[in-house]
């Protein structure tokens, strides 16, 4: 079949190139519409109870992750000129498109008591621009008496202050995000230039915007870098520009198809999907390396380009397809998850890998039967002495020192198990950004002065309408809030309780010592003042109170901000500290108290995605085993394949444990991807071994030696290409991407031991060569002495010549095929 396919490709070269050109043009046209995603991926299932509750929370109280904060710690901001510049900045930002509101010191609102009408009124503290420093100082004394704002806008310990911008979600989740963020940062920069006061930035909108920009930049950077390093590697191997230019052209076409596929599937570029084009270059080049290495080998034997190329496809076409299937398996398993970011990553990668295979299997025969035949110098890589010596050493270990190999494997596994036992699962909200990035530096500023900026919400459900206004319920909430204030990683809470405390303070003419809940004798007076301040009814429909309670007065929220302390510490805080306090305070009341918010969902998402990837790894083992079973129809072949790959993954996990690389979504991906690539190598070696067994009369030792000599060359070539290619990701600014590059490179080094030493050793030990019949319809051999019906075809091919293009015949077909 593969011989006929090869002839079909060569005879219809122009037609196939034309079809590929049309398809590539179509994909390029679709690729121009590719978009970046402007929202954090939801990694928790939409049906998860915590996710359902969080969605209900947002419908009732609004978004919790749409606040951008600008902070500063500089006493000069309270000088008249600088303060008025801050006022201008605040007013300018409030008018910016995409900004729903701005809260800052210059726009603070205070409650006042209207005794005549027995109601509360609101008024800005800074009604007009201060004209003198004395006036400003007087107004700032009023600001400092507002207990409600302490720890929210002004740090009571360091004097740092911030501006809080509430962003419109419609802009945050669209392509306008970058424009809006750019305008905000430009206004802030002008303020810094005028005053010399440095501003710090934080909040999920800023983090998301920064990550989106870096994803777009790194996607382009890694595409170029991957092309350069793989080109240099190919040139070093094959010593001809044709073996560089055309494979790069092939993977370039595959990348265009990949981006077009993203658009056709209706996906957008995420942090993971943004890696696929670069990964595709890295894992697409081995297809070309396999085919070209074998083409050079068969051309040196036959001296005929067409015959050599037909032999290449006949002998390794099916194996190369299975190799690509094994590689794709490492990505395809993500398609079984219900996590959007993984599901999309899996489908795009799987489709792109098979597309790259079919493009290479068509274009390699076409291009290299058009081009002049390889010169003796270009074939020298087949006899490279360092490589030959290395393979001879492997052969010696496998045939003469198998005991040493097994002892070494056992020691490696023991070390891997020890390292794996030290492996920890932890992730941070800004985990992927470098520790020395401006985002992390600014985040530390807010954690130092305000204890953090990541959102955390607690919802108290009394179970009864207006139940939240009962004094006993308010007192219980106050007890919980007092405990929350003792936690150094939490900001001061904001709720109906803090609002009522501010109202009590106002009732007593702003005296800070009355910043407390009203007692039974004061409660009715203060609530009646609140009701009258809103005109009609109870006042529960007011804009102020609706930000703290639902429309019925049954549920109330307690809003806090938390430092980015990592998923493990967050779990400890929520489960071992806050939840026991909630249980104690609200025990026996019938009230339901739940913690929710973006931060909690992130933590749960981290656990959820790692659990999903654990299942995906099991699926990947099963699928690789199934591929081997279908290809070789042997349970032993499945075992021979999976044992070395298990060793590779165990040692990779051990390295993570020893070097303190945490298990998190980005690093957990590595295992499935590595298994697919390692399975590719195992299948390649097993296929060659089975073919050599048929040739050598089932003499195992002879088959192993020939397998290592021939298949080992291309396996080492492709391992080097993959190692160099994946190592480029070590230059990423994203921690997860950097870990992907380093660990995949380590895995590729380990797999050379697993697949070129351990696997052959297992075959020599357990493959006796007499109790198994090889199915020649599945695995065809490499040797020309083993006669099948394809030999008749080769006899005809020997009479076919490839005529190279001459200088005197520019209009002739390039490399015309004739018989």
């Amino acid at each position: 079949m593969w011989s006929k396919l090869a002839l079909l490709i060569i005879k219809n070269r122009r037609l196939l190139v034309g079809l590929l050109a049309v398809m590539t043009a179509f994909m390029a046209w679709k690729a121009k519409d590719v978009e970046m995603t402007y929202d954090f991926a939801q990694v928790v299932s939409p049906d998860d109870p915590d996710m359902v509750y969080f969605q209900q929370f947002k419908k009732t109280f609004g978004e919790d992750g749409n606040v951008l904060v600008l902070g500063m710690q500089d006493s000069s901001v309270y000088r008249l000129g600088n303060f008025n510049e801050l006022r201008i900045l605040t007013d300018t930002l409030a008018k910016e498109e995409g900004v729903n509101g701005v809260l800052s010191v210059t726009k603070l609102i205070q409650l006042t008591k209207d005794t005549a009408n027995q109601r509360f009124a609101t008024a800005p503290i800074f009604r007009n621009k201060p004209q003198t420093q004395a006036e400003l100082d007087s107004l700032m004394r009023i600001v400092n008496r507002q207990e409600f704002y302490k720890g929210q806008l002004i740090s009571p310990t360091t004097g740092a202050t911030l501006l809080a911008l509430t962003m419109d979600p419609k802009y945050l989740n669209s392509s306008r995000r970058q424009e809006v963020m750019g305008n905000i940062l430009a206004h802030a920069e002008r303020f810094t230039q005028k005053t010399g006061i440095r501003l710090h930035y934080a909040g999920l909108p800023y983090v998301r915007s920064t990550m989106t920009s870096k994803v777009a930049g790194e996607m382009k950077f890694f595409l170029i870098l991957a092309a350069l390093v793989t080109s240099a590697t190919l040139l070093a191997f094959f010593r001809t520009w044709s073996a560089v230019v055309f494979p790069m052209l092939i993977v370039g076409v595959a990348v265009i198809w990949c981006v077009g596929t993203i658009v056709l599937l209706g996906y957008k570029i995420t942090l993971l999907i943004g890696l696929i084009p670069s990964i595709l270059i890295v894992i697409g080049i081995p297809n070309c390396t396999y085919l070209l290495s074998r083409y050079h080998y068969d051309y040196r034997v036959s001296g005929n380009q067409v015959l050599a190329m037909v032999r290449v496809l006949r002998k390794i076409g099916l194996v190369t397809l299975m190799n690509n299937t094994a590689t794709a398996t490492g990505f395809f398993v993500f398609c079984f998850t219900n996590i959007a970011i993984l599901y999309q990553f899996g489908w795009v990668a799987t489709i792109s890998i098979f597309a790259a295979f079919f493009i290479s299997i068509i274009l390699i025969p076409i291009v290299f039967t058009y081009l002049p035949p390889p010169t003796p110098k270009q074939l020298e890589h087949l006899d490279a002495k360092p490589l030959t010596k290395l393979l001879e050493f492997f052969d010696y270990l496998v045939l003469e020192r198998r005991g040493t190999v097994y002892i070494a494997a056992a020691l490696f596994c023991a070390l891997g198990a020890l390292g794996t036992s030290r492996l920890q699962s932890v992730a941070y909200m800004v985990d992927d950004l470098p520790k020395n990035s401006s985002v992390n530096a600014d985040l530390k500023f807010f954690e130092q002065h305000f204890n953090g900026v990541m959102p955390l919400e607690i919802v108290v459900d009394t179970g009864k309408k207006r139940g939240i206004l009962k004094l006993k319920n308010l007192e219980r909430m106050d007890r919980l809030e007092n405990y929350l204030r003792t936690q150094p990683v939490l900001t001061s809470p904001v709720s109906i309780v803090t609002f009522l405390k501010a109202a009590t303070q106002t009732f007593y003419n702003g005296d800070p010592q009355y910043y407390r809940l009203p007692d039974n004798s004061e409660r009715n007076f203060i609530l009646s003042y609140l009701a009258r301040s809103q005109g009609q009814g109870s006042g529960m429909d007011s804009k102020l109170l609706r930000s703290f309670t639902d429309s019925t007065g049954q549920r109330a929220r307690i809003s806090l901000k938390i430092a980015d302390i990592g998923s493990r510490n967050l779990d400890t805080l929520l489960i071992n500290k806050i939840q026991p306090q909630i249980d104690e305070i609200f025990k026996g009341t019938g009230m339901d108290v739940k913690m929710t918010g973006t931060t909690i969902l992130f933590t749960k998402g981290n656990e959820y995605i790692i659990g999903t990837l654990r299942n995906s790894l099991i699926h990947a083992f099963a699928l690789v085993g199934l591929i081997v079973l279908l290809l070789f129809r042997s349970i032993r072949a499945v075992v021979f394949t999976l044992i070395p790959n298990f060793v590779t993954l165990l040692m990779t996990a051990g390295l993570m444990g020893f070097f303190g690389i945490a298990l998190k979504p980005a690093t957990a991906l590595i295992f499935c991807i590595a298994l697919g690539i390692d399975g590719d190598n195992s299948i390649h070696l097993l296929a060659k071994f089975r073919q050599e067994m048929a040739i050598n009369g089932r003499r195992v030792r002879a088959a192993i030696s020939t397998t290592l000599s021939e298949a080992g060359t291309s396996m080492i070539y492709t391992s080097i290409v993959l190692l160099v290619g994946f190592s480029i990701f070590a230059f990423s600014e994203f921690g997860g991407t950097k870990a992907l590059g380093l660990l995949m490179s380590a895995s590729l080094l380990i797999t050379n031991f697993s697949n070129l030493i351990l696997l052959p050793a297992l075959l020599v030990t357990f493959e006796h060569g007499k109790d198994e019949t090889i199915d020649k319809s599945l695995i065809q051999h490499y040797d020309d002495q083993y006669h099948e019906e394809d030999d008749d075809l080769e006899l005809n091919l020997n009479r076919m010549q490839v005529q190279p293009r001459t200088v005197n015949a520019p209009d002739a077909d390039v490399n015309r095929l004739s018989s």
Side-chain angles (χ1 to χ4, degrees):
M1 180 191 106
W2 288 92
S3 298
K4 294 177 181 178
L5 176 62
L7 283 178
L8 181 68
I9 291 171
I10 294 171
K11 288 180 178 179
N12 297 279
R13 289 180 286 194
R14 291 183 178 179
L15 175 62
L16 290 173
V17 169
L19 289 175
L20 284 176
V22 171
M23 282 293 297
T24 303
F26 171 74
M27 286 297 198
W29 178 70
K30 297 300 295 184
K32 66 180 175 57
D33 298 323
V34 71
E35 297 179 5
M36 301 288 298
T37 184
Y38 295 94
D39 194 10
F40 269 0
Q42 296 288 359
V43 295
V44 179
S45 169
D47 301 325
D48 183 87
D50 288 337
M51 176 59 77
V52 171
Y53 188 82
F54 180 55
Q55 297 300 332
Q56 292 173 348
F57 167 86
K58 291 199 292 185
K59 288 180 181 178
T60 303
F61 298 106
E63 292 281 348
D64 72 329
N66 61 338
V67 177
L68 168 67
V69 290
L70 285 66
M72 66 199 84
Q73 186 197 23
D74 193 325
S75 59
S76 67
V77 73
Y78 300 113
R79 297 174 189 165
L80 183 62
N82 290 342
F83 188 85
N84 286 331
E85 287 294 338
L86 180 62
R87 182 188 181 97
I88 293 171
L89 173 63
T90 302
D91 293 340
T92 302
L93 293 177
K95 297 174 184 176
E96 186 64 43
E97 190 176 13
V99 177
N100 286 342
V102 181
L103 184 62
S104 82
V105 174
T106 66
K107 295 181 76 70
L108 286 185
I109 301 295
Q110 67 171 334
L111 280 175
T112 59
K113 185 172 68 170
D114 183 350
T115 307
N117 296 306
Q118 292 190 328
R119 64 184 178 89
F120 292 118
T122 58
I125 295 177
F126 297 91
R127 295 177 182 271
N128 301 302
K129 183 169 67 173
Q131 300 299 315
T132 65
Q133 186 66 46
E135 181 184 358
L136 173 59
D137 293 342
S138 175
L139 292 171
M140 283 304 302
R141 282 192 287 273
I142 297 175
V143 169
N144 291 328
R145 288 168 60 89
Q146 308 301 311
E147 295 291 328
F148 180 83
Y149 295 113
K150 287 185 177 179
Q152 303 297 329
L153 288 179
I154 302 173
S155 171
T157 56
T158 65
T161 185
L162 57 79
L163 287 77
L165 284 67
T166 304
M167 309 296 295
D168 188 338
K170 290 187 298 184
Y171 287 85
L172 290 180
N173 301 327
S174 74
S175 58
R176 296 289 306 279
R177 175 206 293 267
Q178 301 302 98
E179 178 186 348
V180 171
M181 290 299 300
N183 292 339
I184 291 172
L185 297 181
H187 292 312
E189 182 60 29
R190 282 192 287 272
F191 168 81
T192 297
Q193 291 174 355
K194 290 180 179 179
T195 63
I197 297 173
R198 181 189 173 189
L199 291 176
H200 302 267
Y201 310 93
L204 291 183
Y206 178 67
V207 173
R208 292 171 179 174
S209 176
T210 302
M211 292 186 70
T212 300
S213 299
K214 289 186 179 296
V215 167
E218 286 205 349
M219 183 177 175
K220 299 173 185 175
F221 170 72
F222 284 131
L223 271 175
I224 296 171
L225 191 57
L228 289 175
V229 298
T230 51
S231 296
T233 308
L234 286 173
L235 184 61
F237 286 162
F238 295 104
R239 303 176 188 180
T240 172
W241 283 106
S242 62
V244 175
V245 173
F246 292 105
M248 294 309 302
L249 177 64
I250 289 169
V251 294
V253 170
V255 167
I256 292 173
W257 284 36
C258 170
V259 181
T261 300
I262 295 171
V263 177
L264 289 174
L265 292 176
Y267 301 157
K268 295 182 179 180
I269 294 177
T270 62
L271 178 60
L272 285 181
I273 289 179
L275 296 176
I276 295 177
S278 304
I279 291 176
L280 192 60
I281 292 177
V282 174
I283 65 179
I285 287 295
N287 283 331
C288 303
T289 306
Y290 276 139
L291 296 171
L292 285 178
S293 295
R294 191 65 213 185
Y295 167 64
H296 284 182
Y297 178 84
D298 280 314
Y299 175 78
R300 186 167 68 173
V301 172
S302 67
N304 186 301
Q305 286 178 268
V306 176
L307 177 58
M309 195 59 74
V310 171
R311 285 178 176 175
V312 167
L313 293 192
R314 176 170 66 83
K315 295 172 182 178
I316 67 170
L318 177 60
V319 174
T320 306
L321 174 60
M322 290 298 102
N323 289 345
N324 278 266
T325 303
T327 301
T329 296
F331 297 90
F332 180 65
V333 290
F334 301 134
C335 300
F336 295 106
T337 71
N338 58 354
I339 300 174
I341 188 173
L342 288 180
Y343 177 84
Q344 294 174 8
F345 174 74
W347 272 117
V348 173
T350 301
I351 293 171
S352 298
I353 287 170
F354 282 113
F357 166 74
F358 286 112
I359 292 168
S360 61
I361 211 74
I362 291 172
L363 287 184
I364 287 289
I366 291 174
V367 168
F368 286 91
T369 52
Y370 260 127
L371 292 173
T375 65
K377 183 177 181 181
Q378 294 167 1
L379 298 176
E380 288 178 357
H381 70 91
L382 296 173
D383 301 312
K385 286 187 178 180
L387 183 58
T388 302
K389 292 293 184 182
L390 179 63
L391 291 173
E392 288 175 354
F393 175 66
F394 288 172
D395 186 69
Y396 168 75
L397 290 177
V398 169
L399 297 181
E400 307 298 336
R401 291 288 184 267
R402 287 192 302 284
T404 304
V405 171
Y406 295 144
I407 292 172
L411 289 175
F412 287 150
C413 287
L415 287 173
L418 178 61
T420 302
S421 67
R422 300 182 180 182
L423 194 58
Q424 294 186 340
S425 172
V426 62
Y428 294 83
M429 291 287 282
V430 293
D431 203 23
D432 274 324
L433 294 174
K435 299 300 182 185
N436 59 352
S437 71
S438 60
V439 174
N440 273 301
D442 285 351
L443 191 61
K444 290 187 183 300
F445 169 85
F446 288 101
E447 290 176 353
Q448 177 184 351
H449 298 286
F450 295 95
N451 292 359
V453 292
M454 299 302 177
L456 176 64
E457 301 284 346
I458 300 175
V459 178
V460 178
D461 188 345
T462 63
K464 297 178 181 179
K465 290 184 178 181
R466 295 177 56 80
I468 209 67
L469 291 180
K470 290 185 177 180
L471 190 57
K472 287 185 178 180
N473 294 339
L474 291 170
E475 288 173 346
R476 290 188 179 95
M477 290 179 62
D478 191 30
R479 282 179 58 194
L480 176 59
E481 291 183 17
N482 287 335
Y483 173 77
L484 295 174
R485 288 187 183 91
T486 66
Q487 301 303 309
V489 295
L490 297 175
T491 63
S492 296
V494 181
S495 70
I496 181 67
V497 170
T498 51
F499 181 75
L500 287 175
K501 286 181 177 181
T504 306
Q505 180 184 359
T506 302
F507 188 78
Y508 286 99
N509 301 316
D511 189 340
Q513 70 175 342
Y514 287 99
Y515 182 74
R516 57 171 174 76
L517 282 173
D519 59 28
N520 277 324
S521 62
E522 299 162 334
R523 174 179 173 275
N524 291 334
F525 285 105
I526 291 174
L527 290 181
S528 66
Y529 265 57
L530 283 172
R532 294 189 191 97
S533 68
Q534 301 301 326
Q536 302 292 329
S538 67
M540 290 306 296
D541 291 327
S542 72
K543 183 177 179 181
L544 280 173
L545 293 183
R546 282 180 61 191
S547 63
F548 301 123
T549 67
D550 67 356
S551 59
T552 66
Q554 176 177 318
R555 290 181 293 168
R557 71 188 287 192
I558 301 174
S559 291
L560 310 100
K561 298 292 187 292
I562 184 172
D564 190 14
I565 57 177
S567 55
R568 290 175 64 87
N569 291 331
L570 183 60
D571 276 343
T572 300
L573 174 66
L574 299 181
I575 297 172
N576 298 336
K577 294 184 178 180
I578 297 179
Q579 189 60 51
Q581 284 294 316
I582 291 175
D583 295 339
E584 179 183 340
I585 293 170
F586 294 92
K587 182 179 180 181
T589 63
M591 298 168 66
D592 184 30
V593 182
K594 286 184 177 294
M595 292 179 283
T596 188
T598 301
T599 304
I600 288 181
L601 265 294
F602 166 79
T603 303
K604 180 157 190 174
N606 181 60
E607 299 170 355
Y608 189 84
I609 201 170
I610 290 175
T612 299
L613 290 171
R614 189 182 300 116
N615 294 333
S616 296
L617 185 59
I618 295 172
H619 292 155
F621 267 106
L623 287 175
V624 170
L626 180 61
I627 292 168
V628 174
L629 184 62
L630 291 174
L631 187 61
F632 300 107
R633 298 183 183 178
S634 167
I635 296 296
R636 275 192 299 180
V638 175
V639 176
F640 291 152
T641 299
L642 296 184
I643 287 178
N645 289 291
F646 174 77
V647 172
T648 299
L649 297 185
L650 182 62
M651 292 176 66
T652 303
L655 287 175
M656 291 176 63
F658 283 124
F659 288 97
I661 301 175
L663 185 64
K664 52 190 176 183
T667 54
L669 285 173
I670 294 165
F671 296 99
C672 292
I673 298 173
L675 177 59
I677 293 174
D678 293 347
D680 175 333
N681 286 326
S682 300
I683 290 172
H684 186 70
L685 186 134
L686 275 175
K688 175 62 178 171
F689 172 72
R690 289 303 180 89
Q691 292 158 354
E692 291 301 323
M693 285 282 283
I695 295 167
N696 290 289
R698 304 183 63 74
R699 290 178 297 160
V700 175
R701 296 173 69 91
I704 282 292
S705 294
T706 307
T707 297
L708 287 175
S709 174
E710 295 184 11
T713 301
S714 58
M715 288 174 66
I716 290 178
Y717 278 179
T718 54
S719 293
I720 293 173
V721 171
L722 288 168
L723 188 150
V724 173
F726 273 108
S727 65
I728 66 172
F729 296 115
F731 296 99
S732 173
E733 288 192 76
F734 294 107
T737 307
K738 182 179 292 187
L740 171 69
L742 293 174
L743 290 173
M744 279 303 303
S745 298
S747 173
L748 288 162
L749 286 174
I750 297 169
T751 195
N752 280 320
F753 165 79
S754 299
N755 284 308
L756 287 175
I757 299 177
L758 179 59
L759 176 55
L762 291 171
L763 291 171
V764 172
T765 302
F766 297 103
E767 185 67 65
H768 302 298
K770 296 181 180 180
D771 56 351
E772 194 171 331
T773 301
I774 297 176
D775 188 342
K776 295 189 284 289
S777 67
L778 289 175
I779 302 296
Q780 296 179 15
H781 60 84
Y782 281 67
D783 192 272
D784 297 327
Q785 299 173 5
Y786 192 88
H787 295 289
E788 290 183 331
E789 61 183 7
D790 281 334
D791 290 332
D792 294 332
L793 180 61
E794 290 186 7
L795 292 174
N796 293 328
L797 284 170
N798 277 320
R799 294 193 291 269
M800 300 175 72
Q801 300 295 324
V802 177
Q803 296 181 354
R805 180 176 180 174
T806 62
V807 176
N808 296 326
D811 297 328
D813 289 341
V814 178
N815 297 331
R816 180 166 55 87
L817 179 66
S818 64
S819 60

